[in-house]
Amino acid sequence: MTIKISSVRQLGDLLIQRYAQSPQEGCWVIAVTTQMTIIDIYQVALGTLDSVNIHPRDVFRHLVAHNAYGFILCHNHPSGNLTASNADHLAMTQMAICGQLMQFHFLDFMIISSRGYRSYRSENLLPNVELETLIDLWTKFNNM
């Protein structure tokens, strides 16, 4: 696959075309190079009508294997609602923490549906996790 991502809109349109009509929730990872060329798009989870469990090990296993620079997490909502659930927020936070630890750039979390897409990076809503924060947490944990 040699698609170079030039905009959020281009990627959103591509993902809608491929996955918006799915009757159940799923999660896909878009692995990219430093030049934002797609290395691979792969499904890491398949759920039910209204939920999907996304586990970091399933996401990062493929990123390591593909020697990716960064990734975009894409999740569909068959209901058409583009608002992230509490489970979606938890998954975003887990990916941000794991991405920082594993040194993969978590570039966006996108929700797609037949009604369109939502980019959490475009809305400045991605969790910001700094290495210093993780070191502070580790230090506090060790002192317990």
Side-chain angles (χ1 to χ4, degrees), residues 65-124:
H66 286 95
N67 199 29
Y69 164 79
F71 68 103
I72 296 122
L73 205 60
C74 172
H75 166 56
N76 71 315
H77 281 179
S79 68
N81 185 348
L82 294 174
T83 302
S85 66
N86 288 338
D88 293 339
H89 285 290
L90 176 60
M92 276 192 286
T93 302
Q94 286 177 329
M95 295 308 146
I97 291 168
C98 291
Q100 184 65 268
L101 286 172
M102 298 283 297
Q103 297 185 3
F104 286 103
H105 297 269
F106 181 27
L107 300 168
D108 206 345
F109 181 82
M110 297 181 78
I111 296 177
I112 59 167
S113 77
S114 58
R115 294 182 187 166
Y117 67 88
R118 183 172 186 189
S119 162
Y120 280 72
R121 171 160 299 282
S122 294
E123 297 178 31
N124 206 25

Side-chain angles (χ1 to χ4, degrees), residues 11-117:
L11 181 60
D13 291 343
L14 172 72
L15 296 172
I16 288 170
Q17 181 182 14
R18 289 185 180 197
Y19 308 117
Q21 299 304 322
S22 178
Q24 61 198 97
E25 288 198 16
C27 181
W28 297 267
V29 174
I30 298 93
V32 298
T33 68
T34 58
Q35 300 300 309
M36 294 304 292
T37 300
I38 296 173
I39 298 170
D40 196 17
I41 299 177
Y42 51 93
Q43 188 170 28
V44 292
L46 182 62
T48 63
L49 177 65
D50 61 356
S51 69
V52 64
N53 291 319
I54 306 163
H55 200 284
R57 72 174 161 251
D58 298 323
V59 172
F60 289 93
R61 178 184 316 119
H62 291 281
L63 293 171
V64 170
H66 286 95
N67 199 29
Y69 164 79
F71 68 103
I72 296 122
L73 205 60
C74 172
H75 166 56
N76 71 315
H77 281 179
S79 68
N81 185 348
L82 294 174
T83 302
S85 66
N86 288 338
D88 293 339
H89 285 290
L90 176 60
M92 276 192 286
T93 302
Q94 286 177 329
M95 295 308 146
I97 291 168
C98 291
Q100 184 65 268
L101 286 172
M102 298 283 297
Q103 297 185 3
F104 286 103
H105 297 269
F106 181 27
L107 300 168
D108 206 345
F109 181 82
M110 297 181 78
I111 296 177
I112 59 167
S113 77
S114 58
R115 294 182 187 166
Y117 67 88

